């Protein structure tokens, strides 16, 4: 199994028979080297979206069209994008589980917002979510953009994720302190990978506070397009 950061909240996860692109954002992403786009999407089997904001969804339909692969996410959002672009989609909802080439993906709650641009301003389409991705003897919790929430207690108990990919940049999501607190309180992670940070000046620039707050947990500060193997 490999997890590769694509900058900001984007990840490439190779698990079971699937190569999943989570929230891939390339156009205008200052963290992503534009000349490596083909490398980032090569062999992808599915694109997953946690919500509609442009720093997560801007490139999703173009990738799906280019590769002929489905867009996966909350029913309202992916159905809207399907109607606009004609791409194939797999729409489901919180509590639902889909099998993506052997990877079992369950949609779970998040606390944020989810909009797409409209003529008169932002338009709500579906709602924000996270994912539990199970396969190869591991479960990965992709938090999506969220703050701490009480739901994390049952999510940790029921799914028992071993790897946490946690939004931790602050301003729009949890910061390092809050994400580390949630990891200690609700989960028993072996590995935590922070994301949604370093992209802009308004966000946290390193994970030192998280590393200090999570002794005994492997906190990996990812580097763009450098695979992490498990």
């Amino acid at each position: 199994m490999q997890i590769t950061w694509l900058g900001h909240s984007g990840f490439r996860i190779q698990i079971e028979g699937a190569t999943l692109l989570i929230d891939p954002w390339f156009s205008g992403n200052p963290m992503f080297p534009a000349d490596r786009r083909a490398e980032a999407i090569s062999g992808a089997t599915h694109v997953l979206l946690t919500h509609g904001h442009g720093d997560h969804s801007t490139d999703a339909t173009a990738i799906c069209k280019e590769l002929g692969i489905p867009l996966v996410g909350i029913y309202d959002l992916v159905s809207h994008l399907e109607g606009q672009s004609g791409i194939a989609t797999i729409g489901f909802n919180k509590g639902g589980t889909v099998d993506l080439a052997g990877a079992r993906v369950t949609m779970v709650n998040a606390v944020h917002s989810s909009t797409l641009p409209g003529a008169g301003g932002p338009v709500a389409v579906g709602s924000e979510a996270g994912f539990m991705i199970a396969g190869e003897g591991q479960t990965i919790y992709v938090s999506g953009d969220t703050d701490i929430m009480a739901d994390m207690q049952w999510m940790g108990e029921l799914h028992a994720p071993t790897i946490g990919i946690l939004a931790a940049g602050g301003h729009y999501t949890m910061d390092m302190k809050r994400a580390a607190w949630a990891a200690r309180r609700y989960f028993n992670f072996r590995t935590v990978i922070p994301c949604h940070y370093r992209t802009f000046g308004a966000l946290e620039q390193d994970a030192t506070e998280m590393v200090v707050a999570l002794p005994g947990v492997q906190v990996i500060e990812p580097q763009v397009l450098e695979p992490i193997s498990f």
Side-chain angles (χ1 to χ4, degrees), residues 34-74:
D35 61 346
R36 298 183 69 182
R37 179 182 180 278
E39 173 188 348
I41 70 173
S42 177
T45 58
H46 306 80
V47 175
L48 279 67
L49 290 182
T50 62
H51 64 293
H53 291 160
D55 56 335
H56 299 254
S57 70
T58 293
D59 294 279
T61 55
I63 295 169
C64 289
K65 280 186 174 182
E66 182 176 339
L67 300 182
I69 60 177
L71 180 65
V72 183
I74 200 161

Side-chain angles (χ1 to χ4, degrees), residues 148-150 152-153 155-157 181-188:
I148 299 167
M149 53 184 173
M152 289 176 172
Q153 180 171 356
M155 288 160 54
E157 292 178 4
W181 188 93
R184 288 196 314 270
R185 175 70 179 267
Y186 298 125
F187 300 98
N188 187 26

Side-chain angles (χ1 to χ4, degrees), residues 143-187:
S143 74
D145 285 11
T146 192
D147 188 21
I148 299 167
M149 53 184 173
D151 283 353
M152 289 176 172
Q153 180 171 356
W154 69 257
M155 288 160 54
E157 292 178 4
L158 178 60
H159 292 278
T162 49
I163 301 167
I165 297 178
L166 306 181
H171 196 82
Y172 300 103
T173 71
M174 301 181 289
D175 58 15
M176 293 294 168
K177 180 178 181 180
R178 296 171 76 84
W181 188 93
R184 288 196 314 270
R185 175 70 179 267
Y186 298 125
F187 300 98

